[in-house]
Amino acid sequence: MWRWLIPLSVVPVLALLAYGFRVNPHEIPSPLVGRPAAPFVVRAFDGTEVSLAGLRGRVVVLNFWASWCYPACYEEAPALERAWRTYRDRGVAVVGVAIQDKPEASRKFIADFSLSFSNAPDPDGKISVDYGVYGVPETFFIDRAGRIRLKQTGGVTDELFRAEIEKLLGEPA
Amino acid sequence: MRPGSVIVLVVVGLAAVIGASAATVSAESPSAAKGTVDEETVHRVAAQLRCVVCQTLSVLDSPSEMAAQMRGIIRERLGAGQTPDEIVQYFVDKYGEWILLAPREHGFNLLVWAAPVVAVLVGLAIVALLLRRWTRPRAEPVATIDPKLRERVRRELESPP
Amino acid sequence: MIPELGYGALVVGVVLAVYGALAAAAGAHTGRPALIESAQHAALAVFTLVTACFLLLAGALLTFDFSVRYVAQQTTLGTPFYYRVTAVWGALEGSILLWAWMLALYTLIVVVRHRGERDLYPWALSVMLGIIAFFLLVMTIPAPPFQRLLPVPADGRGLNPLLEDTGMITHPVALYLGFTGFTVPFAFAMAALMTGRVGDAWITTTRRWTIVAWYFLSLGLLIGGWWSYHVLGWGGYWAWDPVENAAFMPWLTGTAFLHSVMIQERRRMLKLWNISLVILTFGLTIFGTFLTRSGVIASVHAFSQGSIGAFFLTFLGLVLLSAFGLLAWRWDLLRAQGELDGILSRESAFLLNNVFLVAAAFTVFFGTVFPLLSEAVRGVKVSVGAPFFNQVNVPLFLSLIFLMGVGPLIAWRRASIDNLKRNFLGPVAIGVATAAVLHLVGVRSALAVLTLALALFTTATIALDVLRGTRARLRTGAGVVGAVTSLLLRHNRRYGGFGIHLGILLVALGVTGSQAWSVQTEATLKPGQVVELAGYRVRFDGLSAVQESTHARVVGTFTVSNGGGAPIVMHPSKKFYPHEQAPIAGVDYRMGFREDLYLVLGDFARDGSEATVKALVNRLVSWIWIGGLVLTLGALLAIVPDDKRA
């Protein structure tokens, strides 16, 4: 009678492996959502200094990208620029950080997409590690109180911007 | 030697082997020199962390740029006086438990650490049971001899040639 | 035209394989030879069709037929001839074709060797054809190799640059020969269960298959390690990546199986266990295939996603449930009493060997799926990597090295004190002496001392046995060489096994040395600057750029001096492929018996004014590859046909 336990014991293993189809091993949930965003001070490609502290009170969209990140970064760059132009006067800041990239390639990317928001390099990788970045593109939505509210892995779309920014703008600072 | 004592000897011997090796795996490297950033310590910390852009390589082994940057961050933090454990915790705070290449030994994770021990113990228990069954003394059938035959044989043997 | 022909051949192949499986099963059940012969014809036809597919795919690759998606994905107009041939198995669909072709070839060999036999062979044939049918089915639905690509591109994408290496030609072939090889013992085991003939027949029939399959699996693993060490640019040969583990687990259970069948052959014990082991081993080969292709667990090797994972999981489920179900059905036939006179005996040594090997396989399996389990139960993703596997497996492998020394020399049934003293006093003394010497010489790592002491203990047991055997023959007047040769050939299984054990010990030596005593450093240098490591002075000279047929290459020139000899020049490089995001490292190394020097080029400035280099001195790594050679010789000796009855 107990002998039938042997074939039966295979079933939970199969079930576990089948569960594997439902999860994506490449998507790591971030422990930073809901926590205060790590401060940073960077010198943008155009020479200006940008700090998270200086943006306090505004909704901040922090976007990590690289010029070799094709096609996702190339697809989302226009959306980022559109979001910046739409919301810059309503208290929203868009900051781009180029990681693991060569400065000339980054500048070309900025010029190609006519990006007018601040973009800065992260040569030591400290900012990307501070934000738990493991791939590009990744975008963080930081509310007016300086807390990370959403981490988007992969490209951002106009709809996502609209939904998230409107929600965060509606909250008190 | 009695089977019982032999089993004890074998098990103690194997346990000594296992215990010695398990203890020494963790106690390999020398401690860091005071005041300077010891590369060995950087290596030790980096070996515990998973390189986030490769699949299963550690930050120490990975040839990727991200890993080199992470090693730089480790080096810098060690130089600033942070302990290896604090640095590891920093990375866990940013990336989650996933960034550790070996699961922390508490809670649910104890299952995976216990697996080898349990497997060996269950195996040894089964072997012990089997050996006991196989070495159980069996009653030898004693052949009974027909007394008439025995008498006849005796007469044949004792009769003069 | 060609792609459609190939697809058609696969469809016909599926039908014929299914027919053959059913015919062979029906023939086995009813005892009618005509059905079995019909199945044999089907097997031959399937082999022909799969070979034709193989040739068609190779032809498409060689003629740059970019209308076939597989060709466009893997080659460009500049891909050299030999890589176009190896591209046949370079990606998912082709690798399944290679697997299916090997299965078909093995089935044909089984037919040729066993046709006319009535007992096990018909069922075994049925099982093999059924398995082939599955793999062919995979190629007709989720993973078709002959899919068209329209519009036809002018040039292809190119082979994954990591695969442009001689290891690429050999590693998958060896590994698959190993995996598919275990199908034959499995098929005969199933035949044994179906017919109730669960004695030795299925084991003795498949003995050589088992050794050959085990050997190729070992070879595949070693070549994979070589490839990882020389191509991937991280200085290591094994990362406990899930797909590496997937190949290692059947090796572990396969090794256990190799040993425990010897007990069944000698003493008629462990029937149940042996069948379970072969089912487990075959199941693990399918599990490995599933892991590699389903994307369920993140790995550097994983080919792709899609519905193929579901196909393999279903197949795995069917195989395990039916095989273990058959086992449970025949439970009573398999339980037999065994007899032992003493607990200290070869039987117990072999049983312990099995415990540790299967425990290791279980540990690796559990560690590999634990991230999935953790996510399912806790919702938290964890990683299980090298630090875990190294730590838990070391004690198990050390125990196995010890058992390798004890097993072959301890007596069957019961070892007397005399037997123990005679065979082990010397080697134990040598082991202890080794430990003492190493300790005196200043070796810090207790683990290294323990490993080397055990390894030398085991080597001493082997040497002792060869010595005694040779001495006995010398007394009959033979010369030394003649004595040794006749000893090895007369008992080729035993000494072949010793050769394999020696090979494993050398691998253990290499692993110990590289884990315990390797050092590395990295530095950013300007031309003329030097970094020092373990007595080597590495000077950065400059960078140069080269254009190859498939990629652009930046080569760093480094002059290395070592105190004594003349300085050597090394050229680690970075290869830039048009379709790859990150550059691929091209390492340069110098191998030696004592240590390897290994250079990896890191980041560099465009103008050549600066370069980061990682230098590694890996100690004793070459002994891993030497161990592989010795293992090969041992395996060859073991399968030499003997003149005495098997």
Side-chain angles (χ1 to χ4, degrees):
Chain A
M1 217 295 279
W2 297 106
R3 57 171 99 162
W4 297 103
L5 269 182
I6 297 185
L8 277 176
S9 65
V10 169
V11 176
V13 177
L14 294 173
L16 180 65
L17 295 175
Y19 170 78
F21 290 130
R22 296 180 45 202
V23 296
N24 183 351
H26 297 281
E27 250 173 40
I28 319 292
S30 171
L32 298 174
V33 177
R35 303 249 287 273
F40 60 81
V41 180
V42 287
R43 185 153 301 278
F45 283 105
D46 60 11
T48 55
E49 191 181 87
V50 182
S51 74
L52 185 63
L55 297 169
R56 189 58 174 270
R58 291 202 257 174
V59 172
V60 180
V61 178
L62 182 61
N63 169 258
F64 290 88
W65 59 272
S67 65
W68 44 260
C69 146
Y70 179 84
C73 296
Y74 285 67
E75 282 164 13
E76 69 164 10
L80 279 161
E81 179 64 18
R82 275 193 296 274
W84 169 239
R85 297 212 183 144
T86 313
Y87 289 100
R88 64 191 297 179
D89 298 323
R90 293 182 53 189
V92 173
V94 178
V95 179
V97 177
I99 63 172
Q100 291 156 46
D101 209 359
K102 302 255 186 282
E104 323 83 60
S106 308
R107 285 177 199 271
K108 180 172 183 304
F109 185 91
I110 296 170
D112 285 346
F113 288 97
S114 312
L115 302 177
S116 58
F117 54 87
S118 296
N119 278 284
D122 181 22
D124 300 325
K126 282 197 254 194
I127 306 175
S128 62
V129 170
D130 251 353
Y131 280 81
V133 171
Y134 61 89
V136 278
E138 284 182 18
T139 308
F140 294 81
F141 290 83
I142 305 170
D143 67 13
R144 294 206 240 225
R147 273 192 319 264
I148 299 176
R149 300 296 291 276
L150 175 69
K151 171 180 171 175
Q152 169 73 0
T153 321
V156 284
T157 60
D158 295 306
E159 296 77 45
L160 179 65
F161 276 125
R162 207 177 356 260
E164 197 59 27
I165 294 180
E166 293 291 352
K167 182 180 84 170
L168 295 179
L169 279 176
E171 292 172 1
Chain B
M1 265 197 269
R2 297 187 56 234
S5 46
V6 170
I7 294 182
V8 169
L9 265 177
V10 168
V11 171
V12 167
L14 279 174
V17 167
I18 292 174
S21 56
T24 54
V25 170
S26 8
E28 275 310 342
S29 315
S31 48
K34 284 268 170 166
T36 57
V37 177
D38 182 20
E39 269 310 292
E40 270 287 320
T41 319
V42 176
H43 291 177
R44 258 195 308 142
V45 175
Q48 294 175 52
L49 300 170
R50 178 177 185 158
C51 162
V52 297
V53 296
C54 345
Q55 291 303 344
T56 15
L57 289 182
S58 67
V59 169
L60 174 63
D61 291 327
S62 166
S64 72
E65 191 177 339
M66 177 106 205
Q69 286 177 340
M70 285 169 85
R71 288 194 293 270
I73 293 174
I74 295 173
R75 209 172 279 125
E76 199 182 301
R77 281 175 178 257
L78 278 173
Q82 285 197 326
T83 70
D85 285 340
E86 285 170 350
I87 300 177
V88 169
Q89 187 55 43
Y90 164 70
F91 281 101
V92 171
D93 288 338
K94 297 300 180 183
Y95 287 93
E97 276 184 57
W98 164 88
I99 200 165
L100 292 174
L101 272 176
R104 284 216 164 120
E105 295 173 42
H106 63 73
F108 188 71
N109 295 337
L110 285 173
L111 265 183
V112 77
W113 288 100
V117 179
V118 167
V120 170
L121 287 178
V122 167
L124 288 178
I126 295 180
V127 167
L129 272 168
L130 273 178
L131 288 181
R132 236 185 21 161
R133 197 191 309 160
W134 288 347
T135 56
R136 202 174 301 145
R138 285 160 297 282
E140 290 298 329
V142 179
T144 47
I145 304 175
D146 178 18
K148 289 209 206 70
L149 182 59
R150 186 188 295 170
E151 187 54 38
R152 211 180 118 200
V153 169
R154 191 186 62 79
R155 269 188 280 118
E156 301 253 338
L157 285 174
E158 287 169 3
S159 61
Chain C
M1 186 51 197
I2 302 257
E4 283 70 29
L5 266 181
Y7 184 76
L10 286 173
V11 174
V12 175
V14 175
V15 173
L16 282 177
V18 172
Y19 165 75
L22 292 172
H29 190 63
T30 60
R32 291 172 52 194
L35 281 170
I36 301 175
E37 276 182 34
S38 177
Q40 284 170 182
H41 294 150
L44 180 60
V46 167
F47 176 72
T48 317
L49 287 168
V50 179
T51 309
C53 285
F54 202 90
L55 293 172
L56 283 174
L57 192 58
L61 282 161
L62 287 172
T63 57
F64 300 107
D65 184 357
F66 292 128
S67 75
V68 177
R69 195 164 61 111
Y70 192 74
V71 177
Q73 258 176 355
Q74 293 215 74
T75 58
T76 65
L77 289 167
T79 307
F81 165 75
Y82 38 89
Y83 288 139
R84 276 183 280 141
V85 170
T86 65
V88 173
W89 56 83
L92 175 65
E93 297 85 355
S95 71
I96 308 237
L97 184 58
L98 181 67
W99 192 298
W101 183 79
M102 286 177 180
L103 279 178
L105 177 68
Y106 284 167
T107 308
L108 205 60
I109 296 177
V110 167
V111 167
V112 165
R113 286 191 65 186
H114 298 280
R115 90 181 140 207
E117 284 174 28
R118 308 282 300 279
D119 307 323
L120 298 174
Y121 159 67
W123 283 111
L125 180 63
S126 172
V127 170
M128 293 211 61
L129 282 170
I131 297 174
I132 295 180
F134 166 73
F135 280 92
L136 293 177
L137 185 69
V138 167
M139 279 194 287
T140 53
I141 305 182
F146 291 106
Q147 228 177 31
R148 284 274 196 196
L149 181 62
L150 295 165
V152 180
D155 198 358
R157 195 181 169 280
L159 194 65
N160 183 337
L162 286 173
L163 305 178
E164 283 189 7
D165 175 82
T166 40
M168 177 49 202
I169 302 172
T170 40
H171 167 67
V173 175
L175 216 55
Y176 285 12
L177 282 173
F179 286 147
T180 53
F182 280 111
T183 311
V184 179
F186 172 75
F188 276 90
M190 292 299 101
L193 287 176
M194 291 297 307
T195 58
R197 295 171 190 274
V198 296
D200 291 350
W202 73 271
I203 290 184
T204 44
T205 310
T206 54
R207 184 169 64 80
R208 282 222 182 76
W209 285 102
T210 305
I211 297 185
V212 171
W214 180 89
Y215 169 69
F216 277 116
L217 195 51
S218 314
L219 189 66
L221 288 168
L222 284 169
I223 296 178
W226 168 278
W227 182 15
S228 168
Y229 187 64
H230 291 122
V231 174
L232 291 185
W234 60 285
Y237 43 80
W238 187 265
W240 296 104
D241 180 88
V243 168
E244 289 173 330
N245 297 349
F248 193 46
M249 288 185 276
W251 185 86
L252 288 167
T253 58
T255 307
F257 177 64
L258 255 184
H259 289 86
S260 66
V261 293
M262 292 187 212
I263 298 188
Q264 187 166 340
E265 279 180 349
R266 298 295 175 105
R267 307 290 328 286
R268 306 257 184 292
M269 310 196 293
L270 298 180
K271 297 187 181 119
L272 181 64
W273 178 241
N274 284 326
I275 295 205
S276 310
L277 266 182
V278 78
I279 295 176
L280 210 54
T281 306
F282 177 69
L284 284 168
T285 63
I286 303 295
F287 175 68
T289 311
F290 162 74
L291 259 192
T292 328
R293 289 165 177 79
S294 65
V296 157
I297 298 182
S299 153
V300 72
H301 286 70
F303 281 92
S304 92
Q305 266 106 323
S307 58
I308 192 169
F311 267 78
F312 272 100
L313 187 60
T314 313
F315 181 61
L316 180 66
L318 278 173
V319 164
L320 288 178
L321 286 172
S322 47
F324 280 123
L326 277 175
L327 182 90
W329 175 46
R330 290 297 197 193
W331 187 263
D332 296 316
L333 278 179
L334 293 162
R335 316 263 278 113
Q337 42 297 56
E339 270 175 29
L340 264 190
D341 299 323
I343 299 232
L344 276 185
S345 57
R346 192 170 305 179
E347 289 86 337
S348 359
F350 274 43
L351 281 175
L352 284 176
N353 151 304
N354 267 228
V355 166
F356 287 107
L357 281 168
V358 175
F362 175 70
T363 304
V364 172
F365 175 78
F366 201 64
T368 305
V369 299
F370 189 71
L372 209 50
L373 186 64
S374 171
E375 192 171 352
V377 170
R378 277 175 76 199
V380 174
K381 278 189 158 85
V382 295
S383 301
V384 180
F388 169 79
F389 288 111
N390 284 334
Q391 191 165 335
V392 301
N393 278 322
V394 160
L396 299 175
F397 294 149
L398 284 181
S399 309
L400 283 167
I401 293 182
F402 174 69
L403 286 169
M404 252 205 292
V406 169
L409 290 187
I410 197 171
W412 288 101
R413 292 197 73 117
R414 181 234 283 273
S416 61
I417 304 291
D418 275 340
N419 165 261
L420 292 175
K421 268 203 303 205
R422 205 171 155 263
N423 285 319
F424 296 110
L425 211 53
V428 167
I430 290 180
V432 171
T434 308
V437 165
L438 288 172
H439 190 72
L440 285 172
V441 160
V443 177
R444 263 189 297 106
S445 162
L447 187 60
V449 171
L450 191 57
T451 312
L452 291 175
L454 283 173
L456 253 82
F457 160 76
T458 304
T459 311
T461 61
I462 297 177
L464 191 61
D465 186 286
V466 174
L467 218 72
R468 289 222 183 96
T470 310
R471 211 165 38 195
R473 276 156 198 274
L474 281 176
R475 277 193 229 117
T476 69
V480 174
V481 175
V484 172
T485 316
S486 71
L487 179 71
L488 296 187
L489 286 177
R490 184 90 174 91
H491 304 282
N492 66 307
R493 280 183 69 186
R494 180 183 179 77
Y495 290 100
F498 280 158
I500 294 179
H501 283 180
L502 263 177
I504 301 278
L505 287 174
L506 291 173
V507 170
L509 175 68
V511 169
T512 307
S514 63
Q515 296 295 325
W517 297 315
S518 295
V519 287
Q520 61 174 284
T521 188
E522 68 184 319
T524 308
L525 304 172
K526 297 188 172 23
Q529 286 188 325
V530 166
V531 62
E532 293 197 11
L533 181 66
Y536 292 94
R537 301 184 75 243
V538 180
R539 189 187 76 213
F540 173 48
D541 293 330
L543 295 174
S544 55
V546 179
Q547 184 71 37
E548 311 262 7
S549 63
T550 47
H551 57 275
R553 202 178 168 128
V554 171
V555 183
T557 308
F558 293 84
T559 305
V560 180
S561 52
N562 188 9
I568 50 173
V569 182
M570 291 174 69
H571 298 284
S573 60
K574 264 183 136 85
K575 298 187 265 194
F576 295 86
Y577 288 81
H579 295 285
E580 301 294 323
Q581 276 177 359
I584 311 281
V587 304
D588 200 2
Y589 50 87
R590 287 290 180 277
M591 295 197 289
F593 287 114
R594 223 183 34 158
E595 61 199 18
D596 291 2
L597 176 64
Y598 193 98
L599 293 181
V600 186
L601 182 66
D603 227 5
F604 54 86
R606 272 286 163 85
D607 55 1
S609 61
E610 214 174 55
T612 308
V613 66
K614 191 171 178 186
L616 297 98
V617 173
N618 294 317
R619 300 250 154 77
L620 297 182
V621 178
S622 299
W623 290 98
I624 298 178
W625 325 124
I626 297 175
L629 284 170
V630 173
L631 196 139
T632 304
L633 293 174
L636 283 172
L637 182 60
I639 59 172
V640 163
D642 17 59
D643 37 21
K644 38 184 201 235
R645 35 183 171 79

